[in-house]
Amino acid sequence: MIISQTPLRVSFSGGGTDFPAFYEKNEGYVVSAAIDKYVHVILTERYDEKIYLNYSRKETVDRVDEIRHELVRESMRIAGVESGVEVTLLSDIPSEGSGLGSSSSFTVGLLNAFHVLQGAQAGPAQLAEEACEVEIRRCGKPIGKQDQYIAAFGGMRGFRFRRDGGVEAERLVLSSEKLHRLSSNLFLFYTASTRKASDILAEQNDRVPENLRALQRIKELACEAGGAARVDDFDRIGRVLGENWTLKKGLASQITNSRIDEMHALAMRAGATGAKLCGAGGGGFLLVYCPPPAHPELFEAMSGYRRMPFLIERDGSKIIFNYRRSSWK
């Protein structure tokens, strides 16, 4: 049995600049952080040659080509796993539409487990790029590259997306005390709705040329967030979230709605200095930055929404259990 653990993530700024339509001409930059909420992939060798899948539905098939779950199917193809396995997918949060990058985390975790099954250990750069291959190129998802990279690398990082498609990962080095201090001022509130990101992201991708000025500013804000983290100016990250949200709302038509706007305004009136929806928008989790003196007022104002406590996670995808018996085969 092999178990991989892969973190979810929050993004501070830069989302949208990790799309090829932007970075191939302008280079992109995103600052994001892994959090201590995870997806797990449990992989077991079977005595027979069938493939068993357990997620929100069950699949039992004879060949990889018959698998309906496209992330599992394409990850098996890349790793060269052909048959005789049982795969179970588990998540700490709703697995679709949360805005916390769960699909990419699952893809990275699947690849990590399948490579170990094959007797290989893939590094974070390989896992991230193979996950991009699965999601963007093979499955045709209209997404960027930031989620795969932060899931693989972990920590709090800046990612530079070069014109040639390469990615530079920069770890923003913070002590445990500083990471805890930053985490203690960040809050995730559930909007009580999820959505499929594909429609929003497809529209956003199509509108990159007309959104170019806004995306350039979002990239600048990501650089500001990275700079603020380096000098422990965490309150500045709150202001980055606020301006990023103002710009993000204009990138596509379904990113916000009246209910989300009301939720955002409630947090801001209660003392938050910045807030934005995670991921594509339209639902999922609202990420809020609030300085300590206003915490009681924020909790009171947001008591009608579920709050998910979290800390920034230092590690990316990793194998937390690997027990190999003599093979049946």
Side-chain angles (χ1 to χ4, degrees), residues 48-258:
D48 58 12
E49 294 301 314
K50 289 185 178 293
I51 300 166
Y52 300 79
L53 303 184
N54 308 296
Y55 51 106
S56 58
R57 60 192 303 170
K58 285 184 173 289
E59 295 188 48
T60 303
V61 299
D62 294 311
R63 298 182 300 110
V64 173
D65 292 348
E66 298 171 350
I67 295 174
R68 298 180 64 180
H69 195 301
E70 58 185 359
L71 301 182
V72 176
R73 183 184 67 238
E74 299 305 325
S75 296
M76 288 181 70
R77 284 173 172 165
I78 283 182
V81 177
E82 297 180 350
S83 62
V85 293
E86 182 166 355
V87 183
T88 300
L89 307 182
L90 302 172
S91 176
D92 286 346
I93 52 90
S95 60
E96 184 175 68
S98 69
L100 301 180
S102 59
S103 292
S104 296
S105 292
F106 268 126
T107 308
V108 169
L110 283 162
L111 289 162
N112 201 355
F114 286 138
H115 279 303
V116 170
L117 179 67
Q118 297 288 72
Q121 183 67 59
Q126 178 183 341
L127 290 174
E129 198 51 43
E130 287 183 351
C132 291
E133 169 69 24
V134 168
E135 292 195 274
I136 300 172
R137 290 181 277 277
R138 298 194 179 197
C139 297
K141 295 183 179 295
I143 60 175
K145 301 173 75 169
Q146 62 160 314
D147 292 355
Q148 299 87 347
Y149 273 83
I150 191 61
F153 279 89
M156 184 172 179
R157 294 182 185 265
F159 295 101
R160 187 171 304 281
F161 303 95
R162 300 198 309 260
R163 291 181 177 87
D164 63 1
V167 180
E168 298 173 10
E170 174 196 9
R171 183 181 170 209
L172 301 175
V173 181
L174 299 174
S175 67
S176 296
E177 183 274 327
K178 290 173 182 176
L179 275 177
H180 187 272
R181 183 153 51 88
L182 173 58
S183 298
S184 68
N185 291 337
L186 291 167
F187 305 97
L188 284 169
F189 293 96
Y190 188 45
T191 64
S193 64
T194 59
R195 78 290 173 268
K196 284 194 173 183
S198 55
D199 290 344
I200 298 173
L201 292 173
E203 180 187 351
Q204 183 177 322
N205 197 25
D206 290 341
R207 290 176 55 181
V208 164
E210 66 185 90
N211 290 333
L212 189 58
R213 181 173 295 181
L215 288 167
Q216 290 281 19
R217 178 56 186 157
I218 286 172
K219 175 182 170 181
E220 291 173 0
L221 288 170
C223 294
E224 287 186 29
R230 292 185 192 94
V231 298
D232 309 334
D233 184 5
F234 299 142
D235 287 348
R236 189 168 151 208
I237 291 177
R239 296 192 292 273
V240 165
L241 289 178
E243 186 176 346
N244 190 101
W245 176 240
T246 299
L247 294 166
K248 179 185 176 75
K249 290 187 293 183
L251 299 180
S253 59
Q254 301 178 61
I255 287 176
T256 191
N257 55 47
S258 59

Side-chain angles (χ1 to χ4, degrees), residues 5-7 34 108 112 150-155 313-319:
Q5 175 179 283
T6 307
V108 169
N112 201 355
I150 191 61
F153 279 89
E313 166 61 72
R314 289 184 177 275
D315 295 333
S317 183
K318 58 187 176 183
I319 301 299

